[in-house]
């Protein structure tokens, strides 16, 4: 069991920091591959220990365990059976790995949880150091648009991860003298006391330095909610009721919170307004797919089409909102996206899990690790309300760990079964061992296939950037069978085919991409291929769709203008040129000046 704990601790320590440019989107895919392979190994170790070292095989299911299993089963059925068209999803593979991780964590003794929380903090310290080195210019940022991202794609995900690390650090530092750990002996105890004091304190200081530089409002809210929750539970650990606040304090607190919220809004006003637009459009998807949603990880296949319809219906009344539109693949609100993808049934199931979890507590005495886990959940929720944490594996495994802690320490046990293995070991051991090996084999094959696909996709994209389109197409073609249901992959493959003037195949691939992801980029690429094939009506339809998806963009208008001009529709070309001239500029650029110059020439030639 100690070997299992050590391996799992190393996974928690290194996961946020792993990075390899071998793969496409390396900040995400590298973590996914490392985590998936590691958790398969850990599960195999756990199976060996359970079957070979224990005298009995026991299963203990709490209220939270049963609830999470039901939610997971519904998401699976909804994805594969209620919505037969489902694309390749890294999020789904990560959910599978996280479910296995949850099983492993639930099998561990509670006394081992502290070591894993310390491993999470140590991983956070490494990321703090990475961010500081990036800020000093010693290390390169993982995103050229931002000076500091840690080993994450953008500052938002980095800040959210550090906020959770800070909450865990605060919880352990607050309980540094009462933590329960495995290990015996004076030297071990002295080391534990030193470690639980200075490691969390170091992480807290580091997060206090780095987080303000990231300017993430969601992370600050998450930090406040998490630390506040841990502190409140700590203050009332002896079952003492907190004194009721007088009305004056409540009013002052409400005014301060309102002022703080408005200040956060003003910090990035356009960003906040853009999220409001996304929420409005997402609400239309909830209305249209109220019962079962659109299926897990299918938000990106529906949203941009819904945004185009929304702008068409709103007309001139949405002129200000049109300036905020962009290609959007996340709801920037995880509960809202969950409802869009899983419908009212998914929402009711989650609500039922929360209700029964609070309705049937275990009633155990106060535990530091449980208090820390409770702090992680409100912090995660606050962050998820304004961003997309479902694509942040480094945050998700911390949340899953918190759920495992709560299930193991504060959720009433409904099922408790023990099977003796001493006499029946020879009969039971081969069957259970075969099941464990089969699970690891199937999951390992999926991960290995994904690893090869991401590596091939990465080579294809690198060749495309170097304008070696023939080579790029060969790499794309090699991994097409595995990624033929990934919208982003199909879009890039189609664009690469178009660059080699293979318009027929490019059109087929891009049309296929529409089923799994909608965006103005796909629509303009399809329009270009249709135009080259002489299908002007189809090209016009695609360009118009791109224009309605993001009304503030000039490029679809330019494509329509040139299409009409080449097709001899001078009246429509003139109308589009005047539209371009009158259009408000969101972000000035050389390209927009050139487009307006072309429009000027058409208007002048028409006036002569």
């Amino acid at each position: 069991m100690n070997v299992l704990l050590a391996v799992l601790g190393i996974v928690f320590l290194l996961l946020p920091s792993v990075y390899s440019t071998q793969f496409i989107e390396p900040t995400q895919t590298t973590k996914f591959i490392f985590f998936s392979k590691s958790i398969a190994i850990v599960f195999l170790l756990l199976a060996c220990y359970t079957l070979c070292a224990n005298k009995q095989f026991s299963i203990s299911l709490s209220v939270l365990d049963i609830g999470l299993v039901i939610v997971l089963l519904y998401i699976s059925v909804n994805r594969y059976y209620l919505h037969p068209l489902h694309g390749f999803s890294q999020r789904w593979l990560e959910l599978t790995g996280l479910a296995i991780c949850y099983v492993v964590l639930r099998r561990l003794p509670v006394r081992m949880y502290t070591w894993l929380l310390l491993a999470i903090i140590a991983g956070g310290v490494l990321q703090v150091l990475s961010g500081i080195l990036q800020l000093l210019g010693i290390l390169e940022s993982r995103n050229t648009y931002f000076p500091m991202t840690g080993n994450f794609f953008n500052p938002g995900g980095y800040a959210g991860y550090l906020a959770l690390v800070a909450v865990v650090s605060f919880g352990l530092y607050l309980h540094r003298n009462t933590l329960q750990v495995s290990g015996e002996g004076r030297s071990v105890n002295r080391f534990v006391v030193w470690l639980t004091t200075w490691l969390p304190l170091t992480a807290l200081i580091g997060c206090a330095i780095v987080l303000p530089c990231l300017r993430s409002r969601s992370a600050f809210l998450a930090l406040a909610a998490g630390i506040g929750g841990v502190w409140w539970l700590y203050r009332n650990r002896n079952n003492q009721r907190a004194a009721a606040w007088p009305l004056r304090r409540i009013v002052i607190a409400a005014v301060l919170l309102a002022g703080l919220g408005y200040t956060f809004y003003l910090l990035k006003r356009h960003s906040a307004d853009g999220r409001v637009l996304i929420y409005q459009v997402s609400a239309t998807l909830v209305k249209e797919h109220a019962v079962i949603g659109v299926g897990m990880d299918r938000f990106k296949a529906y949203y941009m089409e819904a945004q185009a319809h929304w702008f068409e219906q709103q007309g001139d009344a949405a002129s200000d909102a049109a300036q905020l539109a962009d290609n959007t693949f996340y709801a920037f609100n995880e509960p809202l996206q969950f409802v869009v993808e899983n419908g009212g049934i998914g929402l009711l199931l989650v609500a039922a899990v929360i209700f029964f979890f609070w309705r049937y507590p275990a009633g155990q005495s106060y535990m530091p690790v449980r208090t820390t886990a409770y702090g992680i959940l409100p912090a995660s929720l606050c962050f998820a309300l304004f961003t997309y944490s479902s694509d942040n594996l480094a945050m998700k495994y911390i949340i899953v760990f918190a759920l495992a802690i709560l299930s193991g320490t504060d959720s009433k046990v409904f099922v408790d079964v023990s099977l003796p293995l001493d006499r029946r070991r020879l009969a039971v051991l081969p069957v259970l061992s075969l099941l464990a090996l089969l699970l690891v084999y199937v999951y390992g094959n999926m991960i290995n296939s994904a690893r090869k696909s991401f590596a091939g996709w990465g080579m294809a994209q690198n060749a495309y950037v170097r304008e070696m389109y023939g080579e790029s197409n060969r790499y794309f073609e090699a991994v097409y069978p595995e990624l033929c249901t990934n919208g982003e992959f199909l879009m890039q493959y189609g664009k690469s085919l178009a660059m080699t003037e293979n318009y027929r195949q490019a059109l087929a691939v891009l049309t296929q991409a529409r089923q799994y992801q909608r965006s103005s980029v796909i629509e303009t690429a399809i329009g270009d291929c249709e135009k080259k094939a002489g299908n002007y009506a189809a090209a016009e339809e695609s360009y118009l769709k791109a224009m309605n998806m993001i009304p503030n963009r000039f490029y679809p208008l330019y494509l329509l203008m040139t299409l009409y001009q080449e097709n001899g529709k001078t009246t429509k070309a003139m109308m589009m040129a005047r539209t371009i001239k009158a259009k408000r500029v969101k972000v000035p650029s050389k390209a927009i000046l050139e487009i307006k110059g072309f429009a000027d020439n058409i208007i002048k030639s028409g006036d002569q």
Side-chain angles (χ1 to χ4, degrees), residues 82 356 480 511:
L82 301 183
F356 285 107
Y480 174 81
T511 303

Side-chain angles (χ1 to χ4, degrees), residues 281-336:
V281 176
S282 298
T284 65
L285 288 174
V286 173
K287 185 178 179 180
E288 293 173 6
H289 308 273
V291 180
I292 60 173
V294 300
M296 181 185 175
D297 211 15
R298 294 278 292 165
F299 180 88
K300 65 185 72 173
Y302 284 82
Y303 177 82
M304 289 305 294
E305 184 77 15
Q307 183 166 284
H309 288 319
W310 190 84
F311 280 120
E312 288 176 14
Q313 293 173 356
Q314 297 295 319
D316 294 337
S319 58
D320 290 335
Q323 296 299 310
L324 305 169
D326 203 346
N327 282 310
T328 300
F329 309 117
Y330 310 97
F332 289 89
N333 182 302
E334 289 295 340
L336 177 59

Side-chain angles (χ1 to χ4, degrees), residues 4 7 35-46 440:
L4 177 65
V7 174
F35 174 77
S36 301
K37 286 190 171 183
S38 301
I39 208 63
I41 294 172
V42 169
F43 179 80
L44 198 57
L45 289 174
L46 176 65
V440 172

Side-chain angles (χ1 to χ4, degrees), residues 425-600:
R425 187 178 298 274
L426 293 178
V428 175
L429 185 60
V431 176
L432 295 180
S433 299
L434 184 62
L435 289 175
L437 287 172
L438 181 62
L439 176 62
V440 172
Y441 175 77
V442 172
Y443 185 67
N445 272 350
M446 289 192 300
I447 301 308
N448 191 48
S449 176
R451 181 190 64 80
K452 293 179 180 178
S453 300
F454 288 143
W457 186 1
M459 290 187 290
Q461 185 62 15
N462 289 334
Y464 182 87
V465 171
R466 297 195 307 270
E467 299 183 357
M468 302 171 64
Y469 303 117
E471 181 180 348
S472 175
N473 289 339
R474 287 193 294 273
Y475 285 128
F476 276 123
E477 185 179 2
V479 295
Y480 174 81
E482 289 77 25
L483 297 172
C484 61
T485 58
N486 183 291
E488 184 72 18
F489 169 83
L490 292 171
M491 180 190 71
Q492 294 182 11
Y493 184 19
K495 290 174 63 178
S496 182
L497 288 168
M499 296 303 294
T500 57
E501 300 183 358
N502 191 349
Y503 298 116
R504 180 177 296 180
Q505 187 179 356
L507 185 58
V509 171
L510 290 167
T511 303
Q512 185 181 359
R514 270 181 173 169
Q515 301 180 70
Y516 307 103
Q517 181 172 300
R518 300 303 294 263
S519 73
S520 65
V521 177
I522 293 176
E523 296 301 328
T524 54
I526 289 176
D528 290 341
C529 291
E530 295 283 15
K531 178 182 174 182
K532 294 292 185 181
N535 302 323
Y536 294 112
E540 179 185 13
E541 183 181 351
S542 293
Y543 291 152
L544 285 171
K545 182 68 70 176
M547 180 187 72
N548 291 325
M549 284 180 173
I550 311 180
N552 61 66
R553 294 283 174 85
F554 279 78
Y555 188 56
L557 302 180
Y558 166 75
L559 292 174
L560 281 166
M561 180 180 68
T562 55
L563 176 69
Y564 294 143
Q565 189 180 29
E566 293 177 15
N567 198 24
K569 297 182 178 180
T570 55
T571 303
K572 283 190 172 183
M574 181 69 68
M575 290 175 58
M576 196 55 62
R578 295 188 186 280
T579 301
I580 291 173
K581 284 294 293 181
K583 188 174 181 61
R584 185 169 36 161
V585 177
K586 179 181 178 180
V587 180
S589 68
K590 182 180 178 181
I592 293 177
L593 289 176
E594 291 177 351
I595 290 173
K596 283 184 173 288
F598 288 130
D600 258 336

Side-chain angles (χ1 to χ4, degrees), residues 210-227:
V210 173
L211 280 173
C213 301
L214 300 174
R215 299 182 63 202
S216 172
R217 298 159 298 176
S218 303
F220 283 121
L221 290 173
L223 188 64
I227 289 180

Side-chain angles (χ1 to χ4, degrees), residues 109-118 172 175-183 189 192 196 364-369 409:
V110 175
R111 67 180 184 276
M112 292 185 172
Y113 286 164
T114 302
W115 289 111
L116 295 179
L117 289 172
L118 288 169
L172 263 62
H175 302 93
R176 58 192 179 278
N177 296 321
T178 57
L179 288 170
Q180 181 185 13
V181 297
S182 58
N189 289 333
V192 169
T196 54
Q364 296 183 13
S365 58
Y366 181 87
M367 297 180 66
V369 292
T409 62

